[in-house]
Structures are given as C-alpha cells and as structure tokens.
Amino acid sequence: MANCPKCGRKLTILDWRPNCPECGVNLVYYGMEERLLNEADAAEAEHARLQKRIDRLKASFIGSKLTIIRIVLSILPIAALLLPLCNVTYSGPFIEETTTGVNAIEIYNLVSSLDFDALFTMIGSSLLGTSFIGYAGALVCILLSLVMVIVSLLMLMLACSPKGNPRNITLNSIAIVLAAASAIFFTVFSNGISAVFPEFISGSVGIGIFVYIAALVLLLGINIVIAKKGVEVKYKQCFVGGLPAEEYFELVEKGTDIKIIREKMAVALEAKEAEKNKEKKEEVKA
C-alpha cells in the first residue's frame, strides 16, 4: 500500500478519505505545486533540447554559402545518372548497327524485369561466366553508389551534429569507390562479351559515369572544406524557469540541490521582471 507523502504513515484499504488519518494532509493536493514546477521545468528543458536540434538543422542547410552550395552538389550526382552511363552497340550481318545509351532509368527498368535465375545460370557458364559477373557487379555497384548518395542527401539534416562531417565524407568516399568499381565491372563485361561475340555486340563506358564521379568528387571536396572551416550554428537562447538553459543543465549535471536551483530561478525571474518594468517606465517617459 501507499504511504502518506508528508508523515510517512502506511495507508490501508480502509483509508479511503482524501486526508491522511495521521496528519490530516490532503493526499491529492499535497506537493502539487512542486509537481507542477517540476513538470514546467521538464517541458522547458525538452524545448531547449529540441531548439538546439532545430538550430543545427537550419545551419546544416543555410548556415553559410558553402552549405547552400552543398545542397546543389548533393542533387547533382542524381541528375548525372540521367546521362548515358554506358553504351551498348548491337550489329550483325542482317542487323543495322545501333548504339543504346544506358542511364539510371534504363537500369531501373532492367533490374525490375531482370530474370535472376537466368543471370545466375549465365554467371555459372564457363564461356560467359566472367562477363556476367562483371555485368552483375556493375549493376550492384552503381545501385549501391546511388543509395550512398541518397543517404548522404538525407543525412544533410544532421550535418551539423558532432558526427555529421565524418559521416558525410565517408558516404561520399564510398559512393565514389562504388561508382569507379561499377565502371571497371562494366569494362570486364564489355571485354568478355565482345570476345565471345565480336561481330554482334560491344560496349563502352559512357560520359555519364565520368560526370557522375566528377559530381561526387565535387561533393566530397565541399564536405571536406566545410569540415575544415566549420559552420557557425546560431543557437536561440532558451530559458528554464528563468535561468539560461545552459546554466540549468550544468546545475542539474552537477547534482545541485533543487532548492538551490529554485532560489537561482527566483532571482533570475525577479531580475527579468525588474528589467521589464524599467523598459516600460522608459517607454512612458519617451
């Protein structure tokens, strides 16, 4: 059973009245003022923490000219994927030679309709196995590289967090390595398939993959520059019970007695009230 919050008497099921039978204190309202103060402090403290996150979010996007440029450079690699990443040429005795440029849209259509059983069969082939390993590797690497770019774009919201800069640089570096690996894998596929069917099919790396890698290098470069120069985060001043949030959190972290914190809050609120009254008097005089 519960105990009386004032005198500590153990309450039984027979003590149904709102007052303690020992000291007579109202069990419902006792300490309510203190509880309300604690809840108000907790709400203001949570708002102060949230405000810091919002301030960092703003700085990540519009904290400086470099961060604004970074937004454009973060989208540029995705746009580059719309250019031909590779070219496949079909020819033959009775076929007019045609060259098809493959971009991100073509890759999406290819992957969505890909027969994986047939692909694994071709990979296991002694004649075309190496070529189709290159084919599969090129697809996987370019798709993973795109995933890194999208994740990096989304993570811009946390770019001013303590781990923001290392995370952005790591994601960009992985995307570049995967893009380069994709080009190498496609070259393996192209050389292998051309060796088997030299008169019918050939392939070459397209301009798109070079533009894509160049865009990623630019993005990596600006993230390195931002990491070195830093981005100034303009934090909005928040208060907890009249105290600056930083001072309040420091006192709580030190384990300062709540009564001492309340006394400091009272002094801070009195000073604010006095400042407001002074401003009002000056406005009346003016």
Side-chain angles (χ1 to χ4, degrees):
M1 302 298 290
N3 295 326
C4 173
K6 184 177 181 182
C7 67
R9 172 192 169 95
K10 189 174 182 179
L11 303 173
T12 67
I13 194 171
L14 298 176
D15 298 321
W16 54 271
R17 291 182 177 83
N19 297 90
C20 173
E22 182 73 24
C23 62
V25 72
N26 190 298
L27 300 172
V28 177
Y29 295 107
Y30 181 79
M32 178 169 283
E33 183 179 354
E34 184 65 22
R35 291 198 299 272
L36 290 174
L37 286 173
N38 290 335
E39 289 176 3
D41 291 346
E44 289 182 334
E46 185 59 34
H47 171 263
R49 295 188 188 96
L50 178 61
Q51 185 62 49
K52 281 193 172 185
R53 296 190 188 102
I54 293 173
D55 293 337
R56 286 195 293 267
L57 175 63
K58 289 180 179 178
S60 298
F61 287 101
I62 55 174
S64 67
K65 292 180 180 179
L66 289 175
T67 58
I68 296 173
I69 295 172
R70 179 171 61 185
I71 297 173
V72 178
L73 293 181
S74 296
I75 300 172
L76 191 59
I78 299 175
L81 290 174
L82 298 177
L83 297 172
L85 301 173
C86 60
N87 301 305
V88 180
T89 302
Y90 303 93
S91 61
F94 305 103
I95 303 174
E96 183 180 354
E97 183 176 308
T98 57
T99 300
T100 303
V102 180
N103 60 14
I105 297 174
E106 297 291 337
I107 291 173
Y108 171 78
N109 294 333
L110 178 63
V111 172
S112 60
S113 61
L114 189 62
D115 186 343
F116 289 96
D117 290 335
L119 178 60
F120 290 139
T121 301
M122 297 301 289
I123 290 175
S125 169
S126 59
L127 183 62
L128 298 172
T130 302
S131 298
F132 278 87
I133 288 174
Y135 176 80
L139 284 178
V140 170
C141 286
I142 197 64
L143 291 174
L144 288 177
S145 180
L146 175 58
V147 169
M148 294 297 106
V149 170
I150 294 173
V151 171
S152 176
L153 180 60
L154 295 175
M155 287 295 103
L156 286 184
M157 295 185 291
L158 304 175
C160 284
S161 63
K163 297 181 180 179
N165 288 323
R167 178 172 52 239
N168 290 337
I169 292 171
T170 300
L171 289 172
N172 297 158
S173 300
I174 293 173
I176 292 171
V177 172
L178 288 170
S182 178
I184 294 170
F185 274 120
F186 182 79
T187 302
V188 171
F189 164 73
S190 175
N191 293 339
I193 205 74
S194 298
V196 178
F197 306 108
E199 297 180 359
F200 295 96
I201 186 171
S202 62
S204 62
V205 176
I207 186 66
I209 193 66
F210 297 109
V211 175
Y212 177 65
I213 293 174
L216 289 175
V217 171
L218 286 174
L219 180 57
L220 174 62
I222 198 166
N223 274 317
I224 292 174
V225 172
I226 289 173
K228 288 184 176 181
K229 289 191 172 183
V231 177
E232 182 183 0
V233 182
K234 297 179 181 179
Y235 290 109
K236 182 180 179 181
Q237 184 61 65
C238 295
F239 297 90
V240 179
L243 288 176
E246 297 79 12
E247 183 179 348
Y248 171 79
F249 290 134
E250 185 179 350
L251 290 170
V252 172
E253 189 176 349
K254 288 180 179 178
T256 307
D257 188 271
I258 188 64
K259 291 182 180 179
I260 297 176
I261 295 177
R262 291 267 184 263
E263 290 173 1
K264 289 180 176 291
M265 287 179 173
V267 172
L269 289 172
E270 287 178 6
K272 277 190 174 184
E273 189 64 28
E275 185 67 26
K276 285 183 180 179
N277 293 333
K278 183 180 178 181
E279 289 177 358
K280 286 180 180 180
K281 289 180 180 179
E282 290 177 351
E283 287 178 2
V284 170
K285 290 180 180 179

